[in-house]
């Protein structure tokens, strides 16, 4: 630093020392007020920070609680879901079993030659089947009984026909016996001698074919003649 | 009351001690603020804000001696004063030439301290700030550049231009008195 700069520095230092600030008291008042304000602001911020801390802690706690509740709900839902799946599986199995039962019913349908409505999902399936079964068995027993009666009736009819024919034969015999006792004479049996068969001797000229059956008069053209005598 | 005790109590928040501290350095720091501010009102505003910062940062200060304390306080005041002018000064330093013709010529008499201060105060704003920071307040060019937000080279060039201008002015009036 040269002399000029040194002198300038000293001049300014001296000037600074001699400077008096007239508005010092007014500035201190402002400064005091500002510091108080800052202090109060700081206190307010502390309160706000504590409040925010509480809110934060509360939110974290609530978050944990909500998460736990949510997890519990999820677990319950999953359990319910599993239960439902099991129920669906069991229903699927039962429906398959029902189909097997229906197959049996179809066999009966073939036997009875009748179509039965298939109700797999009906709650009264058991009673319906039982009813069908009873109906089927009743029908079968009725048919059997009917056939038995028919057979018996046929047999009785045959017996009746046989009895009738026997009666008729007996009546005929009785009639014959009555005739023999009333006839004055009896015809002798006639014997016929059969000779050896001879070949017919027909002249070829006499062999005439007759295609047209009607007889032709002399005035009409004999079609048989014109056909063969050509 | 001893200065260290005043500082200690001020740090504790004792308002009386803070007032004592303020009374001790208000005049000197007002002079510093006035050097860098455009007018007295802005200097007062800057000083108020600087004192708020001083009381806020006082717990961090390690007391060695009063000179160090004054230097630390001055730097806070200078920084606070220049903070608002930073943009303005930055634009000013970007201009290539500064009108140097408005400097009034001094009389033929030997310049006293008041005249020297007046001469420096008459320098263009950009020159004056860098010159005072470097010469009066002992800033390095790197620190000036950081504080004003300009490059180190700009700070150097501004300083040399300011010195050249002062020398020219002093040579014109006082011969070789300034060299």
């Amino acid at each position: 630093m040269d002399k000029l700069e040194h002198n300038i520095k000293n001049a300014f230092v001296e000037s600074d020392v001699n400077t008096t600030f007239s508005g010092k008291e007014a500035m201190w008042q402002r400064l005091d007020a500002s510091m108080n304000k800052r202090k109060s602001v700081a206190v307010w911020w502390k309160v706000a920070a504590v409040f925010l801390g509480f809110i934060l802690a509360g939110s974290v706690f609530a978050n944990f609680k909500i998460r736990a509740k949510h997890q519990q709900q999820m677990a319950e839902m999953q359990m319910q879901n599993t239960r439902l799946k099991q129920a669906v599986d069991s229903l699927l199995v039962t429906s398959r079993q029902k189909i097997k039962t229906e197959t049996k019913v179809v066999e009966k349908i073939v036997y009875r030659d009748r179509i039965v409505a298939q109700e797999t999902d009906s709650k009264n399936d058991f009673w319906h089947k039982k009813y069908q079964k009873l109906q089927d068995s009743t029908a079968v027993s009725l048919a059997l009984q009917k056939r038995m009666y028919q057979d018996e009736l046929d047999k009785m009819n045959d017996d009746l026909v046989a009895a009738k024919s026997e009666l008729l034969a007996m009546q005929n015999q009785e009639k014959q016996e009555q005739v023999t006792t009333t006839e004055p004479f009896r015809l002798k049996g006639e014997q016929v001698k059969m000779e050896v068969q001879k070949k017919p001797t027909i002249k070829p000229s006499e062999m005439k074919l007759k295609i047209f059956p009607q007889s032709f008069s002399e005035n009409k053209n004999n079609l048989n003649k014109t056909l063969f005598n050509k | 009351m001893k200065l260290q005790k005043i500082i200690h109590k001020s740090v504790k928040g004792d308002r009386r001690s803070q007032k004592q501290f303020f009374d001790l350095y208000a005049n000197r720091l007002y002079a510093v603020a006035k050097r860098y501010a455009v007018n007295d009102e802005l200097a007062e505003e800057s000083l108020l804000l600087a004192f708020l910062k001083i009381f806020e940062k006082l717990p961090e200060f390690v007391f060695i001696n009063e000179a160090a304390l004054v230097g630390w306080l001055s730097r806070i005041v200078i920084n606070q004063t220049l903070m608002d002018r930073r943009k303005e000064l930055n634009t000013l330093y970007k201009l290539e030439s500064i009108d140097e013709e408005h400097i009034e010529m001094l009389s033929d008499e030997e310049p006293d301290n008041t005249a020297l201060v007046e001469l420096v105060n008459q320098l263009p704003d950009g020159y004056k700030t860098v010159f005072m920071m470097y010469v009066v307040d002992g800033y390095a060019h790197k620190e000036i550049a950081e504080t004003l937000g300009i490059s180190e080279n700009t700070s150097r060039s501004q300083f040399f231009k300011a010195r050249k201008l002062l020398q020219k002015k002093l040579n014109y009036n006082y011969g070789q008195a300034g060299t």
Side-chain angles (χ1 to χ4, degrees):
Chain A
M1 195 183 284
D2 59 18
K3 195 183 169 187
L4 173 66
E5 286 159 18
H6 187 75
N7 288 341
I8 289 169
K9 189 182 178 180
N10 285 338
F12 271 101
V13 169
E14 196 185 314
S15 168
D16 287 358
V17 171
N18 293 330
T19 307
T20 48
F21 181 30
S22 55
K24 211 158 79 173
E25 282 305 311
M27 181 171 276
W28 170 251
Q29 295 299 325
R30 281 175 69 194
L31 195 66
D32 189 38
S34 296
M35 283 199 289
N36 280 331
K37 201 177 172 185
R38 279 197 175 189
K39 216 172 188 179
S40 66
V41 168
V43 169
W44 190 89
W45 272 113
K46 274 179 190 172
V47 171
V50 169
F51 188 67
L52 279 168
F54 272 119
I55 288 172
L56 194 73
S59 63
V60 167
F61 179 71
N63 189 26
F64 274 117
K65 210 170 181 181
I66 287 164
R67 196 171 280 183
K69 200 178 175 182
H70 185 69
Q71 276 181 346
Q72 198 182 343
Q73 276 180 344
M74 284 288 283
E76 276 176 19
M77 290 276 276
Q78 273 184 338
M79 271 177 72
Q80 208 171 349
N81 197 18
T82 317
R83 265 185 231 152
L84 280 166
K85 271 184 183 174
Q86 283 173 353
V88 168
D89 288 344
S90 63
L91 279 167
L92 282 167
V93 170
T94 27
S95 66
R96 276 176 200 161
Q97 282 173 350
K98 274 177 186 176
I99 287 160
K100 279 178 187 173
T101 321
E102 278 168 16
T103 314
K104 281 177 189 173
V105 172
V106 168
E107 278 171 14
K108 281 177 187 175
I109 288 162
V110 171
Y111 176 71
R112 287 170 58 243
D113 198 15
R114 187 167 68 86
I115 296 161
V116 177
Q118 294 177 0
E119 288 182 15
T120 51
D121 297 328
S122 174
K123 285 185 177 178
N124 301 319
D125 200 27
F126 174 73
W127 292 108
H128 183 74
K129 275 180 207 167
K130 204 166 184 179
Y131 170 73
Q132 286 288 345
K133 212 171 181 179
L134 282 166
Q135 207 176 17
D136 291 347
S137 62
T138 314
V140 168
S141 60
L142 269 168
L144 281 168
Q145 212 163 1
K146 200 176 177 181
R147 190 177 280 180
M148 213 168 71
Y149 284 142
Q150 189 66 44
D151 288 347
E152 206 173 343
L153 189 68
D154 290 345
K155 202 180 171 185
M156 282 172 80
N157 279 332
D158 288 346
D159 287 346
L160 183 68
V161 169
K164 272 184 179 175
S165 63
E166 202 176 342
L167 184 68
L168 198 72
M170 280 175 74
Q171 280 176 348
N172 286 339
Q173 200 178 350
E174 204 175 338
K175 274 180 185 174
Q176 274 180 353
E177 278 175 4
Q178 281 176 355
V179 167
T180 49
T181 50
T182 54
E183 258 184 6
F185 58 88
R186 185 178 277 181
L187 288 169
K188 279 185 182 178
E190 203 173 348
Q191 206 172 6
V192 179
K193 275 189 179 179
M194 295 294 285
E195 288 178 3
V196 180
Q197 282 188 333
K198 285 179 183 176
K199 219 175 176 180
T201 51
I202 303 161
K203 286 178 184 177
S205 59
E206 290 173 351
M207 284 176 74
K208 283 179 185 175
L209 275 168
K210 230 181 171 183
I211 291 167
F212 303 103
Q214 69 262 32
S215 58
F216 299 99
S217 63
E218 281 183 6
N219 296 332
K220 285 183 181 176
N221 186 19
N222 191 348
L223 291 168
N224 288 323
K225 260 186 182 178
T226 50
L227 187 72
F228 292 107
N229 292 335
K230 209 175 178 181
Chain B
M1 200 188 275
K2 218 176 167 185
L3 183 61
Q4 268 180 292
K5 210 173 179 181
I6 293 168
I7 293 169
H8 183 73
K9 282 194 171 180
S10 296
V11 168
K12 291 274 177 186
D14 180 39
R15 201 42 59 87
R16 265 181 76 182
S17 302
Q18 283 175 345
K19 174 80 168 70
Q20 276 182 319
F21 187 84
F22 175 78
D23 287 338
L24 270 173
Y25 297 104
N27 291 334
R28 203 182 293 186
L29 294 176
Y30 176 66
V32 174
K34 215 175 158 186
R35 277 209 307 265
Y36 292 95
V38 180
N39 53 45
D40 290 357
E41 283 176 13
L42 286 172
E44 277 185 35
E45 284 300 314
S46 298
L47 186 65
L48 179 75
L49 293 170
F51 261 111
L52 283 169
K53 247 181 202 173
I54 286 163
F55 284 123
E56 197 181 306
K57 288 186 176 178
L58 204 57
E60 295 166 22
F61 179 73
V62 182
F63 184 81
I64 301 163
N65 52 43
E66 199 182 355
L69 176 68
V70 170
W72 182 71
L73 295 172
S74 298
R75 291 214 167 201
I76 290 173
V77 173
I78 292 165
N79 283 345
Q80 185 60 48
T81 314
L82 292 174
M83 198 176 275
D84 297 331
R85 294 189 63 204
R86 195 169 166 170
K87 219 171 189 178
E88 174 203 336
L89 288 167
N90 198 17
T91 321
L92 195 70
Y93 290 125
K94 276 178 185 170
L95 298 168
E96 284 297 318
S97 61
I98 294 168
D99 182 24
E100 297 165 359
E101 297 305 315
H102 70 283
I103 299 171
E104 290 171 18
M105 297 300 167
L106 293 173
S107 63
D108 292 341
E109 291 171 14
E110 183 76 13
D112 60 349
N113 285 346
T114 319
L116 276 174
V117 169
E118 188 63 29
L119 192 68
V120 173
N121 281 334
Q122 279 182 11
L123 282 172
D125 217 12
Y127 291 177
K128 188 180 97 179
T129 308
V130 173
F131 186 83
M132 280 197 302
M133 282 176 88
Y134 187 80
V135 174
V136 182
D137 294 302
Y139 277 72
H141 282 298
K142 198 180 175 182
E143 289 173 312
I144 294 167
E146 280 170 9
T147 311
L148 296 175
I150 55 170
S151 70
E152 215 175 311
N153 287 333
T154 311
S155 172
R156 277 180 210 281
S157 72
Q158 292 291 311
F159 170 71
F160 286 118
K161 279 175 185 173
R163 192 162 71 171
K164 202 178 163 187
L165 196 64
L166 279 171
Q167 280 174 344
K168 190 180 162 188
K169 180 74 184 150
L170 288 166
N171 284 337
Y172 184 84
N173 289 294
Y174 312 113
Q176 294 299 312
T179 55

